[in-house]
Amino acid sequence: GSSVSPQSLWSAISDLLAKPDTAYLDKMQLALLYVITRGGMTSKEEDFFESNLQPEMMTVIRGLSHLNFNTKKPKNTYNLERGHLDMMKTRLTKIRNEKKIETEKEQDAKRKGQSFTKKAHYIGYRYLPKLHWVCSQLIEDKLDQKAYPWNNPPPKSGNRGMSRSTGFSVRRNRHKRQQSGMGSGDKQRLIVFVLGGITPSEMASVYEVGDQYNMEIIIGSTDLITSEEMVKCLSQGAIKKDQDLNPAVIQSANI
């Protein structure tokens, strides 16, 4: 599809936000997405939000500043961070190449009268979280050691590359585990632990990396962050942690 500026969608978005029957969480997500992609909000847009959104929603929107998003007047030259833009371009190029190869394989299978199963992608095509690229660069031995330093002196680069191709498991009964499907055999294992919480999309993205490089990746974190949890954090206490953001519950509570 063609690119669309957030401003060109303001009329449709403002109509949805002004409707009383628009679900609570839908309003929240629409407003947040608009401010993020717009690169801020004008005084006129801010006045509209304040007139049509609950006070705690405005607290959430302004809380985006804690994530380094602009919530004031948009800059004339606002763009996505260069790193994010490069990620999206790389991802789209990869998807196009994979689809081309997949189409060729599917056509070849049809000619031979064979069945063909299309590959399922775990996440959306347009954006990959930073964690995806960190894991990929770590596996490829390209991770910036200044940004992600080693606790102990790392092995030589050549040895790390060799360990990827000749890695083996030292777990007991590994052959029985492999035969029963309980283990991953001689796959190299990568353990990822994220402090502060991890989102489901980040987890899916990292598992995709594991499939791509034929590695076993074990993910751990201090918390699982859902969209509701993120909203509650940004509200800075305006929305209680135990409050249910289910639209039906919110609407019935406001009657």
Side-chain angles (χ1 to χ4, degrees), residues 162-174:
M162 187 179 294
S163 68
R164 285 195 290 272
S165 59
T166 61
F168 64 92
S169 172
V170 295
R171 287 179 292 177
R172 295 179 61 185
N173 301 322
R174 66 183 178 87

Side-chain angles (χ1 to χ4, degrees), residues 94-185:
K94 181 174 179 288
I95 291 294
R96 292 191 187 101
N97 293 337
E98 287 181 351
K99 284 198 169 187
K100 182 180 179 181
I101 295 173
E102 188 178 58
T103 301
E104 292 173 353
K105 289 182 177 179
E106 183 179 13
Q107 292 174 349
D108 185 55
K110 285 182 178 180
R111 284 194 296 268
K112 296 179 180 178
Q114 301 173 345
S115 60
F116 180 81
T117 304
K118 291 185 177 182
K119 178 183 176 182
H121 296 279
Y122 291 119
I123 59 177
Y125 291 166
R126 297 193 64 186
Y127 175 78
L128 284 175
K130 187 176 182 180
L131 189 59
H132 176 100
W133 302 99
V134 169
C135 291
S136 298
Q137 290 172 356
L138 176 62
I139 294 170
E140 295 176 0
D141 196 19
K142 297 178 181 178
L143 193 62
D144 184 359
Q145 294 186 23
K146 291 183 179 179
Y148 301 92
W150 290 77
N151 288 329
N152 295 311
K156 293 182 179 180
S157 179
N159 292 338
R160 292 203 295 275
M162 187 179 294
S163 68
R164 285 195 290 272
S165 59
T166 61
F168 64 92
S169 172
V170 295
R171 287 179 292 177
R172 295 179 61 185
N173 301 322
R174 66 183 178 87
H175 295 295
K176 292 182 179 179
R177 290 170 61 86
Q178 185 177 8
Q179 292 173 1
S180 64
M182 295 175 60
S184 56

